Amino acid sequence: MPSENNEHTMDSNLTDNAAPVAQAAPATADTALEDQSQSLAADLRAPTISRAYQCQCGRPVFLGNSQCLACNTPLGYVIDSLGVVPLAPAEHDGAEPDTFTVFGDTGGKAWRRCANFLTAAGCNWMVPAPRDGDDPTLHHTDGLSPGYCLSCSVTRTIPDLSIESNGILWRKLEQAKRRLISQLLALGLPVVSRLGDPVHGLAFDFLSNLPGGPHVLTGHEQGVITLNAEEAEDAVRERIRAEMREPYRTLVGHFRHEIGHYYWDLLVFPTPWIDDFRTLFGDERADYATALRTHYENGPPPDWANRFVTSYASSHPWEDWAETWAHYLHMADTADTAMSFGVDAQNVELASDLFEPADLWQPEHPDAMKFLDFLNGWVRLTNVLNELSRSMGQPDYYPFVLPRTAVGKLQFIHQVITQQRHHQSDAALAAQQDGMSQGEDPDVKPGDAAPAPVPPTSQTQTQGDGFQNQQERAIG
């Protein structure tokens, strides 16, 4: 897939009062959400895991925390737990300094801080620290740059840190990427670096515009995602958003859009999903450069709001997929967070009707009603979030409209991800059974599975043994 200039990101179909509207047939007593006594959490049935984390002292902690502010317990993101957990100094025989175990699991795996913990990136993810005699296959260090966590290992190029302001931009970029990677792992999607798989692995280049050089375009090409570091500058991003007349433009939105292109190459194009993709999204073999040029010169078709989640999605089937994919990730992560904290939106006055089975792509699918519950729970939640934003005098939290056609596309993406998650679970179960048959510790979790990586290769980029500083990289 060619690299694209993703400037028009997440521009939405807006109603007159900017409330989210579900363009569906009127709701009836036969809809999946007729029981109004249920909580929003029950309606959402969010597709992944809890986003509410807790310290050993009982206080809530959050995705970016590295220490509990109440009791000073060290915290870190542990992939095996798919979340932030309290840590305790490792106490096993031969324990190395600055290694940890998960609090209360003194005999469990040992971990150490990512090498970027004390850099401007401020990474709070943990890196496996195998003990002597441990089976290395249980620690999943393949594909990790030495000393770095999985999230940092997929970063290939960082901005020039000799420019003081770039440290702040790099931190914001990494924070957004860690949220993305943590969600991908929770969804059971494969996340492997270029070290683990030089062909299908993932890499991020965070580049700045250099004097005399070309403008850095955000885009994806063959597993390499490039983001212009200036997007991490709030004032710059807001200026671009206003110039593009977009209601929404965020770092995490960029990450979720571009990773959609990556997973299209990985999960759709080489699989039987491609036929259904073309039925729903269109034929991606249409000339991409011509389609983008037409979009930028003439704008979207007049009826785009009836068929696409954003106007940019109308430019080409690849962009329709990436925008809808990003939208699904927005919905899933926000719904998971709401469900984790018990947010209830049953008493909200809806600005639109709920969706019905007839609005789905495959209403007969065994998972269809669960997805419909999730979708309609989302409609309820966004009405609440918009009211909260308005109460603070802020723009709507969710300034989008979901046309019925986009609902079918969202269900397609849901099914692609669900199938992949089931494959991951099956692979993890098979590995666990194999380990048990050989008398090994079956400490394998579904999120650990990934495409079989080739042996790690040495990185040609050498900045902190894991990154390439843009100052050292030829641009052009």
Side-chain angles (χ1 to χ4, degrees):
M1 182 182 299
S3 177
E4 83 282 352
N5 176 8
N6 180 30
E7 292 296 334
H8 282 78
T9 301
M10 289 303 194
D11 44 341
S12 72
N13 173 16
L14 295 172
T15 61
D16 291 339
N17 61 358
V21 174
Q23 292 183 354
T28 70
D30 295 327
T31 61
L33 292 178
E34 60 185 350
D35 183 2
Q36 297 298 312
S37 65
Q38 291 182 334
S39 69
L40 173 68
D43 284 348
L44 283 171
R45 298 188 187 181
T48 52
I49 61 169
S50 175
R51 281 294 198 181
Y53 312 120
Q54 194 174 64
C55 180
Q56 56 85 21
C57 70
R59 295 290 293 273
V61 295
F62 303 95
L63 188 62
N65 290 156
S66 59
Q67 185 179 53
C68 176
L69 298 180
C71 69
N72 296 323
T73 296
L75 307 168
Y77 182 92
V78 171
I79 286 181
D80 284 17
S81 302
L82 293 176
V84 173
V85 298
L87 305 169
E91 297 178 352
H92 57 268
D93 291 342
E96 298 180 8
D98 299 320
T99 58
F100 302 85
T101 56
V102 174
F103 195 95
D105 186 20
T106 55
K109 292 182 182 179
W111 306 85
R112 60 168 45 90
R113 296 285 189 187
C114 175
N116 269 333
F117 177 62
L118 295 178
T119 69
C123 181
N124 70 330
W125 283 36
M126 306 303 292
V127 180
R131 292 173 282 194
D132 291 340
D134 280 357
D135 181 351
T137 63
L138 298 179
H139 290 273
H140 312 290
T141 56
D142 283 351
L144 300 186
S145 187
Y148 293 90
C149 70
L150 176 60
S151 181
C152 289
S153 293
V154 296
T155 299
R156 189 174 71 168
T157 310
I158 64 175
D160 181 3
L161 296 183
S162 68
I163 302 174
E164 184 176 358
S165 60
N166 279 347
I168 298 173
L169 302 185
W170 181 36
R171 185 182 188 93
K172 291 180 178 179
L173 288 161
E174 294 291 350
Q175 286 173 337
K177 178 163 63 68
R178 288 194 290 270
R179 174 163 287 276
L180 170 74
I181 300 298
S182 69
Q183 183 184 21
L184 300 178
L185 293 171
L187 286 169
L189 291 166
V191 180
V192 60
S193 73
R194 302 291 261 206
L195 286 175
D197 186 342
V199 177
H200 300 108
L202 183 62
F204 290 86
D205 289 341
F206 301 143
L207 307 180
S208 299
N209 298 321
L210 298 178
H215 181 75
V216 175
L217 300 180
T218 292
H220 165 267
E221 187 168 16
Q222 298 181 340
V224 177
I225 293 174
T226 301
L227 271 83
N228 191 323
E230 72 174 7
E231 288 280 353
E233 179 61 58
D234 295 342
V236 172
R237 191 176 62 255
E238 174 61 19
R239 174 181 57 78
I240 297 173
R241 185 200 65 78
E243 290 174 353
M244 295 291 183
R245 293 182 292 180
E246 300 170 345
Y248 175 93
R249 190 181 186 93
T250 67
L251 277 182
V252 75
H254 282 312
F255 278 105
R256 287 170 173 164
H257 174 102
E258 300 305 335
I259 204 71
H261 290 301
Y262 171 73
Y263 283 117
W264 188 89
D265 287 344
L266 204 63
L267 303 179
V268 176
F269 178 66
T271 74
W273 286 113
I274 189 63
D275 292 331
D276 288 329
F277 168 84
R278 287 170 179 163
T279 299
L280 286 167
F281 293 85
D283 193 337
E284 83 290 348
R285 292 169 292 190
D287 186 82
Y288 181 77
T290 300
L292 280 193
R293 182 168 59 252
T294 299
H295 174 79
Y296 284 116
E297 290 177 356
N298 303 327
D303 65 341
W304 72 265
N306 297 325
R307 298 186 289 128
F308 302 96
V309 71
T310 70
S311 66
Y312 186 59
S314 69
S315 62
H316 189 274
W318 277 336
E319 297 308 330
D320 191 9
W321 161 269
E323 290 284 83
T324 309
W325 172 281
H327 213 86
Y328 179 86
L329 294 191
H330 290 327
M331 294 167 66
D333 200 20
T334 306
D336 283 336
T337 302
M339 186 173 70
S340 300
F341 288 95
V343 176
D344 195 321
Q346 285 298 328
N347 295 323
V348 67
E349 180 179 352
L350 295 178
S352 64
D353 294 320
L354 299 177
F355 291 107
E356 291 188 309
D359 299 316
L360 299 178
W361 166 53
Q362 290 185 343
E364 75 286 352
H365 190 277
D367 196 36
M369 292 303 99
K370 180 179 178 181
F371 176 75
L372 187 63
D373 288 347
F374 162 64
L375 191 66
N376 283 329
W378 173 252
V379 173
R380 295 179 182 277
L381 173 63
T382 52
N383 276 266
V384 172
L385 295 175
N386 282 350
E387 286 301 317
L388 289 172
S389 293
R390 294 164 190 164
S391 71
M392 289 294 293
Q394 294 294 316
D396 279 1
Y397 174 91
Y398 181 75
F400 299 100
V401 173
L402 290 179
R404 295 175 65 183
T405 305
V407 167
K409 296 170 185 176
L410 285 165
Q411 187 192 13
F412 176 81
I413 288 173
H414 176 75
Q415 289 182 199
V416 171
I417 292 175
T418 299
Q419 182 187 79
Q420 175 63 29
R421 183 161 65 247
H422 290 164
H423 286 169
Q424 296 282 68
S425 298
D426 291 344
L429 180 61
Q432 181 179 11
Q433 292 173 341
D434 182 64
M436 293 175 66
S437 68
Q438 300 182 33
E440 297 172 353
D441 180 8
D443 189 11
V444 181
K445 298 185 181 296
D448 297 335
V454 299
T457 58
S458 61
Q459 285 186 308
T460 56
Q461 299 84 7
T462 55
Q463 192 266 333
D465 293 328
F467 301 92
Q468 179 181 20
N469 195 299
Q470 186 180 350
Q471 190 177 38
E472 303 165 358
R473 183 177 187 271
I475 304 293

